[in-house]
Amino acid sequence: LAGPLPELFGGSADLSESNLTDVKANGHDHFAADHPGRNLRFGVREHGMGAIANGIAYHGRFLPYAATFLTFCDYMRGSVRLAALSGLDVIYVWTHDSVGLGEDGPTHQPVEHYAALRAIPNLWFVRPGDPNEAVAAWALAVERRTTGDHGPVALAFTRQKLPTLDGTAERAREGVRRGGYILRDTTGGRPDVILIGTGSELQLCVAAADRLAADSIAARVVSLPCWERFEAQDQAYRDEVLPPGIRRRVSVEIGVSQGWERWVGDEGAIIGLDHFGASAPAGTIFERFGFTTDRVADVARRVVRDGLRGRIGTLAQPHGWGPTGHVGGGPAGSHPTLAEGDPGVDRTPSSDPGHD
């Protein structure tokens, strides 16, 4: 992005090595009072960073970005809200976007943040599900200022690596621009169930669709990375992606379930995370909480065959991993790309200093 976008200008709240947000065109050109450069060192002050980004946007001619861990967006919420209210073209790069960040534990693990950010008018919150969707999300953020519909765009990225999913190379650019799209459809005939995922959980929907197909259940997979863009589409497109007549649906997102009723309806199930996380490697957390292929397939199967509906609790709670007592149950199984104990990254404390 740095080459074709010389106006891209910003930095991180002392987490650039973890956020991976340094502009590397022409070397590491750090901005200072006596030296021109494109990388701002904001320091550990998220609200100040957001305010500075707003000031740069007000000045014009630059496209400012501000980065930190997603959970720390709380510290800059006032600045984010003002950017949305004022229609400022600011890009937020919020990484480490779920309990999947691992051992730093619940203080650093976003849970309620997706819903809280989606509640801010005029903020586009985007949670891409693989590398191709990440590229498309950046394109959406950069291009918003050219649409006449000005305002900030928040990009939420994982800490752990994600696989590249079949179909995103062809569909993600247009699909993310529209906020949601059919990633995988049934081969002839009407779907029995629609699996809806965002971010790192999109891979679970794809893997679960394979599992369900082996059980003669036809599943459509819908990626819904940006609710705000999807809501802005015409009714015909939204009905094409989520047909009103197909009421058996399952959403999968590792955050609070608040808000998902609008997409799932009253005959579907919501697999979410309505409690805080735990200190453990990503693979362990996903397995213990039930964010696995087997669990998603089991819930979808029960939605189709048994009429299961509503919010589905996790398989375990933190602080001892005891049972939740919520509706759902079913097997845990394994995560499609992370084994128990696998943090999902190959970076070390020296290269990912937010995790010393």
Side-chain angles (χ1 to χ4, degrees), residues 17 347-353 356:
E17 291 168 305
R347 285 180 278 168
T348 64
S350 62
S351 64
D352 198 2
D356 289 341

Coordinates of all heavy atoms in Angstrom, one line a residue, residues 17 347-353 356:
E17 N 5.4 -3.3 16.1 CA 6.0 -4.6 15.8 C 5.0 -5.8 15.9 O 5.1 -6.8 15.3 CB 7.2 -4.9 16.7 CG 8.4 -4.0 16.4 CD 9.5 -4.0 17.5 OE1 9.1 -3.8 18.7 OE2 10.6 -4.3 17.2
R347 N 5.9 -16.1 16.1 CA 6.7 -14.9 16.5 C 7.1 -15.1 18.0 O 6.5 -15.9 18.7 CB 5.9 -13.6 16.4 CG 5.8 -13.1 15.0 CD 5.0 -11.9 14.8 NE 3.5 -12.2 14.8 CZ 2.6 -11.2 15.0 NH1 2.9 -10.0 15.2 NH2 1.3 -11.6 14.9
T348 N 8.1 -14.4 18.4 CA 8.7 -14.6 19.8 C 8.4 -13.3 20.5 O 8.0 -12.3 19.9 CB 10.2 -14.8 19.7 OG1 10.8 -13.7 19.1 CG2 10.5 -16.0 18.8
P349 N 8.6 -13.2 21.9 CA 8.4 -12.0 22.6 C 9.2 -10.8 22.0 O 8.8 -9.7 22.1 CB 8.9 -12.4 24.0 CG 8.6 -13.8 24.1 CD 8.9 -14.4 22.8
S350 N 10.4 -11.1 21.4 CA 11.2 -10.0 20.9 C 10.6 -9.4 19.6 O 10.8 -8.3 19.3 CB 12.6 -10.5 20.6 OG 12.7 -11.5 19.7
S351 N 9.9 -10.3 18.8 CA 9.3 -9.8 17.6 C 7.8 -9.5 17.8 O 7.2 -9.0 16.9 CB 9.4 -10.8 16.5 OG 8.8 -12.0 16.8
D352 N 7.2 -9.8 18.9 CA 5.8 -9.5 19.2 C 5.8 -9.0 20.6 O 5.3 -9.6 21.6 CB 5.0 -10.8 19.1 CG 3.5 -10.5 19.0 OD1 3.1 -9.4 18.9 OD2 2.7 -11.5 18.9
P353 N 6.3 -7.8 20.9 CA 6.6 -7.3 22.2 C 5.4 -7.1 23.1 O 5.6 -6.9 24.3 CB 7.4 -6.0 22.0 CG 6.9 -5.5 20.6 CD 6.7 -6.8 19.8
D356 N 5.3 -10.0 26.1 CA 6.5 -10.4 26.9 C 6.0 -11.2 28.1 O 4.9 -11.0 28.6 CB 7.2 -9.1 27.4 CG 8.0 -8.5 26.2 OD1 8.2 -9.2 25.2 OD2 8.3 -7.3 26.3

